[in-house]
Amino acid sequence: MSDPERSAVDERRARRERRAREQLAHPARLIAVGFGLAVFTGTALLSLPFATESGERASFVDALFTGTSGVCVTGLAIVDTGAEWSTFGEVVIMLLMQVGGLGIMTMATVVALILSRRLGLRARLLVQAETRALRLQDVRLVLRGIVLYSLCVEAVVTAILTVRFATHYDMSWGRAAYDGLFHAISAFNSGGLSLYSDSMSRFVRDPIVSLTVSLAVLLGSLGYLVLFELRRNWRRPREWSVFTQLTLGVTAALVVLGTALLTIAEWNNPRTFGPLDVPDKLIAGFFAAVMPRSGGLNSVDTGAMNDESLLVQTALMFIGGGSASTAGGIKVTTFGLLAFVIWAEMRGEAKVVVGRRAIPEANQRQALSVALLGIGLVMTGTLVLLGLSDYPLDRVLFEATSAFGTVGLSTGITPELDRAAQLVLVALMFVGRIGPLTLASALALRERDRRYELPEERTIVG
């Protein structure tokens, strides 16, 4: 190879490396573009004539809304999934939920690992350094672990549901396997979509189906990083990272508190828990407390719940599940960290301590930013929806929070909204899916030390 040719090759290689560095410097941009392309692909496939049962092309808004709901693993729907879409359309939705769940988990996990390595991966990934950085081989191992973990959980859930459907609900084994696979993917990936018009209400008295689906949602909402750490150190809780402690502790607290509050609030409601036996009421309460963690499926009519229950579920939907998981919301780690910040302030402590670790101030500011962004988005979405519809505030707030938290629970008003309002929900689903992660990663990546200090001045607070 001549010198000019070698020089041209080196120049092209340098350009490629420069582009790679620029992309790695902005993971938020990659996440947004990736999910945008997935939504576009899903919308295009669902717009095909043979994607519907009638054989007629679905409207653009129906295809866009369903595609966004699938990719963003939200679960809101403006058409009956089982009745509107053909087998091809249902398979597309199933694949969109799988891609969306795996995509957000892998992207969020890799971003978390980048940040945990003091952002060293961005520059060192290209040269595969051996010290204090994640190597390409490590990334492949992590991604392989995520895929295997997801597929294994989905396989087990599919097997349990298939046997249950075939032996207790008069389904053929083929139909039972198909329904089991769809709902296993929907549950683990927090998809929230169901092939049944009543979601999972027909199984409210079936503890096997209810508990299996609930546990699948919980496993998906914890995330791979937590399960990976538990696998290594499950006998030594004191050695768990702050991330794992917050995820497990806040999750357990919210599930227990949510189960108690929802069960009490709906105990005598004749349209929800009232007709159920005591064991079924407890399981239904547990199911209703787990699903706001982005699960989105329901075993009773959400629209028939009391106002107290809707308020509890709205709060749970806003908090969401674990970071680097399939769940949405501001995340339980954000909520838990802010709770420790408040506790430290009330006690007059200078440092925020979780377990045996002090939390950096930058981390506290990031949590506050994510929470306030979430509040702003939900309030803005609610305000716009109120202007575009005649529904009361509590129902509109519930739908807006469900869209932002990528949950999928609905009081039943989403299909009745006009097209403009449904497009607002599409925007909330997309921003809610990528917003907290991209904001958190962008804030962390922009973190830098100031080379000088300004004089302090206190202001009045409260």
Side-chain angles (χ1 to χ4, degrees), residues 76 197-199 201 262 266 269-273 288 296-311 313-314 317 391-392 394-396 398-399 408-415:
L76 286 175
S197 58
D198 60 352
S199 189
S201 296
L262 291 170
E266 298 298 318
N269 188 338
R271 297 183 296 171
T272 55
F273 292 9
L297 300 167
N298 57 278
S299 61
V300 295
D301 183 3
T302 303
M305 283 185 162
N306 294 320
D307 291 341
E308 300 90 337
S309 299
L310 293 180
L311 181 59
Q313 288 199 318
T314 299
M317 290 190 298
Y391 291 101
D394 58 342
R395 305 284 164 158
V396 172
F398 190 94
E399 304 294 312
L409 292 174
S410 175
T411 58
I413 70 172
T414 294

Side-chain angles (χ1 to χ4, degrees), residues 153 157 188 210-220 286 290-291:
V153 173
V157 174
F188 177 77
S210 295
L211 292 177
T212 298
V213 171
S214 298
L215 292 176
V217 171
L218 276 176
L219 289 174
F286 176 73
V290 169
M291 289 305 131

Side-chain angles (χ1 to χ4, degrees), residues 97-108:
M97 291 190 294
Q98 183 73 79
V99 170
L102 276 178
I104 197 65
M105 190 182 290
T106 53
M107 289 180 180

Side-chain angles (χ1 to χ4, degrees), residues 146-382:
I146 292 172
V147 173
L148 288 176
Y149 165 62
S150 302
L151 295 181
C152 287
V153 173
E154 291 171 357
V156 172
V157 174
T158 299
I160 295 174
L161 294 181
T162 297
V163 173
R164 192 66 176 177
F165 290 164
T167 57
H168 288 75
Y169 293 95
D170 197 26
M171 292 186 188
S172 66
W173 282 97
R175 182 67 197 185
Y178 178 77
D179 285 16
L181 176 62
F182 188 98
H183 291 92
I185 291 175
S186 180
F188 177 77
N189 292 288
S190 303
L193 292 170
S194 173
L195 296 176
Y196 312 125
S197 58
D198 60 352
S199 189
M200 308 299 286
S201 296
R202 63 188 65 186
F203 306 113
V204 66
R205 299 177 187 272
D206 189 328
I208 302 297
V209 174
S210 295
L211 292 177
T212 298
V213 171
S214 298
L215 292 176
V217 171
L218 276 176
L219 289 174
S221 68
L222 288 177
Y224 175 76
L225 290 177
V226 172
L227 274 298
F228 180 73
E229 185 169 354
L230 288 179
R231 188 181 67 178
R232 293 183 302 170
N233 294 324
W234 66 275
R235 293 183 178 180
R236 299 184 293 274
R238 291 190 174 185
E239 297 181 11
W240 292 352
S241 66
V242 171
F243 171 71
T244 297
Q245 292 179 43
L246 283 175
T247 301
L248 293 178
V250 178
T251 294
L254 292 179
V255 170
V256 172
L257 181 62
T259 300
L261 292 176
L262 291 170
T263 303
I264 294 171
E266 298 298 318
W267 189 270
N268 293 318
N269 188 338
R271 297 183 296 171
T272 55
F273 292 9
L276 303 177
D277 297 332
V278 172
D280 293 335
K281 288 182 179 181
L282 296 177
I283 293 175
F286 176 73
F287 193 95
V290 169
M291 289 305 131
R293 304 178 56 76
S294 291
L297 300 167
N298 57 278
S299 61
V300 295
D301 183 3
T302 303
M305 283 185 162
N306 294 320
D307 291 341
E308 300 90 337
S309 299
L310 293 180
L311 181 59
V312 170
Q313 288 199 318
T314 299
L316 293 175
M317 290 190 298
F318 181 76
I319 297 170
S323 300
S325 73
T326 60
I330 64 169
K331 305 298 189 296
V332 293
T333 46
T334 302
F335 179 77
L337 180 54
L338 291 177
F340 275 98
V341 171
I342 295 172
W343 179 246
E345 190 65 27
M346 292 174 62
R347 291 168 58 91
E349 297 177 348
K351 293 287 186 180
V352 177
V353 177
V354 179
R356 297 184 176 183
R357 294 289 186 270
I359 306 300
E361 291 185 3
N363 218 186
Q364 301 171 38
R365 293 196 301 268
Q366 291 160 14
L368 182 62
S369 299
V370 170
L372 290 179
L373 172 69
I375 293 173
L377 287 172
V378 170
M379 293 300 100
T380 301
T382 301

Side-chain angles (χ1 to χ4, degrees), residues 24-155:
L24 288 170
H26 301 283
R29 185 185 304 165
L30 290 176
I31 295 170
V33 171
F35 272 86
L37 290 175
V39 169
F40 174 80
T41 302
T43 302
L45 291 174
L46 292 174
S47 296
L48 298 174
F50 47 85
T52 64
E53 285 285 4
S54 64
E56 298 179 358
R57 190 182 300 274
S59 71
F60 171 75
V61 175
D62 288 349
L64 175 64
F65 195 101
T66 306
T68 305
S69 185
V71 172
C72 297
V73 285
T74 303
L76 286 175
I78 55 178
V79 295
D80 188 329
T81 303
E84 172 69 16
W85 305 107
S86 65
T87 301
F88 172 81
E90 292 169 358
V91 171
V92 168
I93 294 171
M94 190 163 27
L95 292 175
L96 292 177
M97 291 190 294
Q98 183 73 79
V99 170
L102 276 178
I104 197 65
M105 190 182 290
T106 53
M107 289 180 180
T109 300
V110 171
V111 169
L113 290 173
I114 292 174
L115 302 181
S116 69
R117 297 288 179 163
R118 297 176 182 266
L119 315 181
L121 177 60
R122 186 178 68 222
R124 296 174 186 142
L125 186 62
L126 298 172
V127 296
Q128 301 183 43
E130 294 291 334
T131 58
R132 279 190 71 82
L134 217 57
R135 295 170 296 170
L136 286 171
Q137 295 90 333
D138 299 324
V139 175
R140 284 196 292 267
L141 288 174
V142 170
L143 297 184
R144 185 176 68 180
I146 292 172
V147 173
L148 288 176
Y149 165 62
S150 302
L151 295 181
C152 287
V153 173
E154 291 171 357

